[in-house]
Amino acid sequence: MVDVAGLELTPEDREVLAHPLVGSVILFTRNYRDSAQLAKLVADIHAVRSPALIVAVDQEGGRVQRFRPEFSLLPPPRRIGHEYDLDRKTGLTLARSMGWLMAAELRAHGVDLSFAPCVDLDYGVSEVIGDRAFHSKPEAVADLALAYVKGMQDAGMAATAKHFPGHGAVVADSHQSLPVDRRDWNQIADDVLPYRRLIANGLPGIMVAHVLFPAVAPEPASLSRRWIQNALREELRFEGCIFTDDLSMGGAKQLGEFGDVVARASAALAAGCDVLPVCNDRARVVTLLDELEHEIQPSSHLRLVRMRGKAAPERGELLAGEPWRASQELLARSKAAPSLKLTAGNA
């Protein structure tokens, strides 16, 4: 999975996207000016190859939302968790509606998938997770994530839960450094619980974190056969598409024992990952495409194809429909301050 330079494809972009090892593209804020421009860019990316490349983005809501003008400004997942605490049914309705709204607006522009939902637990310590987590309790995260995933499915988008096996209990930001979590497999049972629930309900995709769990494996989860083959494939019986987190992030770059980006990519593939995002570093992308020796596995290709977006209304039709209007009413209510319930003895 690679990125592109700007608002339209350059000749170099087209050359990179035509490479047989490239199967998907991730977009960023720099790739977005307005609705019409985005729709054309996505259509142009899809037209480069047949079958078409898959186009992805991070559009969780809150502070992680790449496209903003002419898109609904989505609440952070924690805000949905607040509604769940006040009333479980209301929280689940909001989660499903926001999952649908996020996915429906992207599908109206041709974008195939958003890397969502984030199912990390909110331990109150992570620099990078914070309000991206629905809740601190695993059962609540599982409930809300499942509702959110169903909303995405309603809109024709496959969900990708992240960051397996859990990023919420470490302080360091894996975009900058390699976080280390000293807990063992049994001690992270709460973090894994949402994945168990989602996998049992047919979860299509999972993104694996650049987090080191030395009590479980000597390498980070994203490069670990113990995590990907033994834990995900065998114990949790996950059959969907496995993405690493971005291999050009700071946490990945600190993996000196695994060498350069080619060595890291080889390790991730050997561990069982299907898709390797390498973003914001075109020189490393070119090096990887030139030097990586890898025969694409039919099973990996099939898992990625299943992440392709389903048929969906175009933007005009979407905005004129009752589901979009209903979601806007819920969105407006979610932006109001959460209700405060006072009990006897509160001052």
Side-chain angles (χ1 to χ4, degrees), residues 37 105 122 140 169 217 240 254 266 313 332:
Q37 170 270 324
E105 291 189 340
D122 182 9
Q254 288 196 354
S266 298

Side-chain angles (χ1 to χ4, degrees), residues 20-220:
L21 286 180
V22 173
S24 48
V25 176
I26 184 167
L27 301 179
F28 293 91
T29 301
R30 69 172 183 273
N31 303 121
Y32 181 72
R33 180 180 60 225
D34 55 41
S35 173
Q37 170 270 324
L38 176 63
K40 184 178 186 308
L41 175 61
V42 174
D44 287 346
I45 293 171
H46 282 154
V48 169
R49 298 256 293 275
S50 181
L53 298 168
I54 288 174
V55 180
V57 70
D58 285 306
Q59 190 87 340
E60 301 169 18
R63 57 196 164 93
V64 182
Q65 180 169 340
R66 306 304 187 206
F67 310 147
R68 291 177 179 268
E70 299 186 78
F71 276 80
S72 299
L73 296 181
L74 303 165
R78 178 182 289 168
R79 183 66 186 83
I80 300 174
H82 287 165
E83 290 297 327
Y84 179 91
D85 283 340
L86 294 170
D87 182 83
R88 180 177 180 272
K89 184 177 180 180
T90 299
L92 294 177
T93 299
L94 180 61
R96 186 162 186 164
S97 179
M98 293 303 98
W100 176 86
L101 177 61
M102 178 276 292
E105 291 189 340
L106 290 175
R107 290 297 304 125
H109 294 80
V111 177
D112 293 287
L113 67 94
S114 171
F115 287 121
C118 176
V119 300
D120 297 307
L121 304 188
D122 182 9
Y123 287 99
V125 299
S126 175
E127 295 176 355
V128 69
I129 301 303
D131 64 1
R132 296 168 68 189
F134 284 112
H135 210 280
S136 61
K137 297 178 180 178
E139 286 289 352
V141 171
D143 272 358
L144 290 166
L146 184 56
Y148 195 93
V149 166
K150 288 180 177 177
M152 293 176 66
Q153 185 179 38
D154 293 340
M157 181 178 286
T160 303
K162 61 185 183 185
H163 306 81
F164 181 84
H167 202 309
V170 289
V171 175
D173 178 354
S174 57
H175 292 85
Q176 307 299 329
S177 59
L178 179 63
V180 179
D181 192 323
R182 302 290 178 186
R183 298 175 298 166
D184 64 25
W185 173 247
N186 293 323
Q187 290 171 319
I188 65 168
D190 282 353
D191 300 71
V192 175
L193 186 146
Y195 291 98
R196 291 187 185 276
R197 285 273 304 279
L198 292 171
I199 290 169
N201 284 275
L203 177 68
I206 285 177
M207 177 175 282
V208 185
H210 299 314
V211 177
L212 178 64
F213 294 82
V216 179
E219 59 279 307

